[in-house]
Amino acid sequence: MSAASDNGLDDEPAYRWPIPPPEGWTADDLDRIPGLPPHTELIDGSLVFMSPQTRFHSRTMRLLDNALLEQAPDHLDVDREMTVKLDSKNRPEPDIVVFPANAVTGPNQTWYKPEDIILALEVVSADSRERDREVKPGKYAAAGVPHFWRVEQDDEKGLPVVYVYELDPATKSYGLTGIFHDRLKVSVPFDIEIDLTAINRRRATS
């Protein structure tokens, strides 16, 4: 008897991967395809699946999400892992987005419009380096998202390093405005100050 039979896996129905139409998937299909893994993205009409999350990724998202929520002005809000419908063939899922509170349409909302995104933030993983460094920033910029942060792990300290970009509206491309180690402090899109060394801190200290 095989190991699969021993642990009962043979009793599980085989998963049938969705077969794309000839012209590729569309942004609206992402809400209709049954059985997709959580956090599936659509890039250029192709489905992109997420690998298991690392502790660095999870802790970095928690730190930045909590800090942005605490410091954002009342008219702005913050969400984690919500897709943005850039166009009919692209619906990426930034790790964190900042948007006007009036962009919320209800509890069953699954995506935002690009014109509602103030800041898109990506925490780079081993399997997402090319997408997070090149593909997705280019698409966010082309769609007019004014601010983009890319977060990488410092291999020596294990701490987040934040690369901050601002959109040049004339060229629809991002320009690097700062690289932040240990502490991030910026004045746009609002006043933000984050202790990046607090990634593993469980609660605020006085």
Side-chain angles (χ1 to χ4, degrees):
M1 183 178 293
S2 69
S5 299
D6 288 342
N7 60 26
L9 292 180
D10 282 350
D11 297 331
E12 296 293 326
Y15 180 71
R16 299 185 62 183
W17 293 99
I19 300 173
E23 66 278 8
W25 299 110
T26 70
D28 291 333
D29 289 331
L30 213 54
D31 291 324
R32 297 193 288 252
I33 303 171
L36 286 180
H39 312 302
T40 299
E41 299 181 290
L42 185 74
I43 303 293
D44 294 329
S46 297
L47 300 176
V48 177
F49 305 118
M50 301 294 104
S51 63
Q53 187 170 217
T54 65
R55 189 173 188 272
F56 169 80
H57 195 280
S58 175
R59 291 295 178 111
T60 298
M61 286 177 58
R62 182 179 71 176
L63 172 68
L64 299 178
D65 181 39
N66 288 343
L68 290 169
L69 274 171
E70 181 181 348
Q71 299 177 39
D74 290 343
H75 71 283
L76 297 180
D77 206 345
V78 182
D79 268 338
R80 290 173 54 165
E81 301 170 319
M82 283 283 288
T83 58
V84 181
K85 190 185 289 188
L86 299 180
D87 54 44
S88 64
K89 293 294 184 181
N90 289 280
R91 192 171 148 187
E93 183 183 281
D95 287 312
I96 298 174
V97 288
V98 178
F99 55 92
N102 61 14
V104 175
T105 61
N108 296 322
Q109 183 174 359
T110 59
W111 54 271
Y112 291 107
K113 296 182 291 185
E115 55 264 36
D116 289 328
I117 302 302
I118 307 298
L119 166 66
L121 189 157
E122 297 284 1
V123 181
V124 177
S125 300
D127 72 327
S128 69
R129 285 193 181 98
E130 182 179 354
R131 292 195 303 275
D132 292 343
R133 291 175 177 175
E134 301 176 21
V135 178
K136 293 168 77 172
K139 293 183 181 299
Y140 297 146
V145 175
H147 299 278
F148 173 72
W149 294 1
R150 191 185 83 245
V151 186
E152 308 247 4
Q153 182 178 355
D154 182 321
D155 291 334
E156 292 185 3
K157 296 182 179 180
L159 297 176
V161 178
V162 183
Y163 297 77
V164 172
Y165 297 85
E166 189 169 346
L167 183 69
D168 179 344
T171 63
K172 285 292 184 76
S173 61
Y174 287 126
L176 181 66
T177 60
I179 303 174
F180 296 89
H181 302 255
D182 296 339
R183 181 169 296 274
L184 179 149
K185 187 173 183 180
V186 296
S187 59
V188 290
F190 50 91
D191 288 331
I192 304 168
E193 186 168 0
I194 304 174
D195 179 4
L196 300 174
T197 69
I199 180 175
N200 294 316
R201 192 177 299 158
R202 294 182 57 194
R203 57 182 61 88
T205 58
S206 57

